[in-house]
Amino acid sequence: MKRKITRAVRLGDLCLGGGAPILIQSMTNAPAHDREGTLAQIKALEAAGCDVVRFTVPDMETVGFIDYYKKNTRAALVADIHFDYRLAVACAEAGIDKLRINPGNIGGSEKVREVAKACEKNRVPIRIGVNSGSLEKRLLEKYGGPAPRALAESAVDQARVLEGFGFGDIVICVKASSAAAMIEAYRILSSETDYPPHLGVTEAGDERMGVIKSAVGIGSLLCDGIGDTIRVSLSADVTREVRAAKDILLACGLCESGIDVVSCPTCGRTRIDLIPIAAELRERVEKADLKPPRLIRAAVMGCAVNGPGEAREADVGIAGGDGCALLFRKGEIIKKIPEDEIVRTLFDEIVSLCREEDKDR
Ligand code: SF4
């Protein structure tokens, strides 16, 4: 897939945009003044594979936590600021890696200038975060509501304000709770600017619907080549957002490493209990948190109709028979295995493939 090459922005030790790998983001939800609770979430997110963690900074006391968080995590940290430009300036001075502000609610152009000045001096990029729930009144009137064009126009206008102060380290974001609306808004935005887009469906819902909406919204844009960082917003444990974000990248073919377990839906031909086998294998793979240097595909197929073809194309796979299965590795039939050994055998094969790939690295 051809990705749109955007302007590169430094984010701590990371690069965002400019063709760099797509970064996964999430946000803590522990109370802002609960320093230990917030740090525990930052660490849990980092362990789950989150590259960038955002937390809310409502007052000067919480600005004081930044140094402590920075010392205790390697994830890039983003301060979420509303209304008070002094907090944004203080976060930039305190070593935050990025600010998320809405220049429209930070209090007039002089205050935005102060924020831009502090960010320029401390090399802190700014994410302009527009979302359908907080659009300017004039744009709501102009477009008759939070239309995709209104979202894009708001973000571009806000970027122009920062550009007017000579500031260009901008990440841009136009979230809506409708996947269709956000897709259109980001497409417009992408045709009008080259700032790296932060993709997300806002207020996406609980885990089931939120993952579906995010997969449609974020996934469609990624398949268009749009997007340099993603956040899946779920009413669920924060680490589930990271899991979902990784799965969306995998489904879009944007994972350079990991394990992709594919399995057939089963049908009247299936003669093994395939559904729990596929689920157990996926669970074991997830728990093992294997990190091969490339993407490894494992196929769990029910029968000899489509099974051998799919299992052959995968790195490792099975084609089910009657209470047994044929094991394939790199296109070759290795052996016949009884049904109750399928999960263990496939898992062992995956681990051994990971080791081999690691040796060849
Ligand atoms: Fe049915 Fe075989 Fe296809 Fe699975 S692979 S759905 S068992 S035909």
Side-chain angles (χ1 to χ4, degrees), residues 264-270 301-307:
C264 83
T266 74
C267 71
R269 286 200 180 86
T270 324
M301 305 298 291
C303 78
V305 175
N306 296 326

Side-chain angles (χ1 to χ4, degrees), residues 254-301:
L254 286 162
C255 267
E256 281 159 17
S257 74
I259 315 287
D260 187 11
V261 177
V262 302
S263 56
C264 83
T266 74
C267 71
R269 286 200 180 86
T270 324
R271 292 284 176 272
I272 53 171
D273 200 5
L274 184 140
I275 294 171
I277 289 173
E280 198 187 330
L281 180 66
R282 184 171 158 74
E283 203 176 305
R284 284 193 70 174
V285 162
E286 262 184 42
K287 268 202 193 121
D289 197 22
L290 302 163
K291 292 190 171 63
R294 68 169 179 89
L295 191 64
I296 286 177
R297 176 184 274 230
V300 184
M301 305 298 291

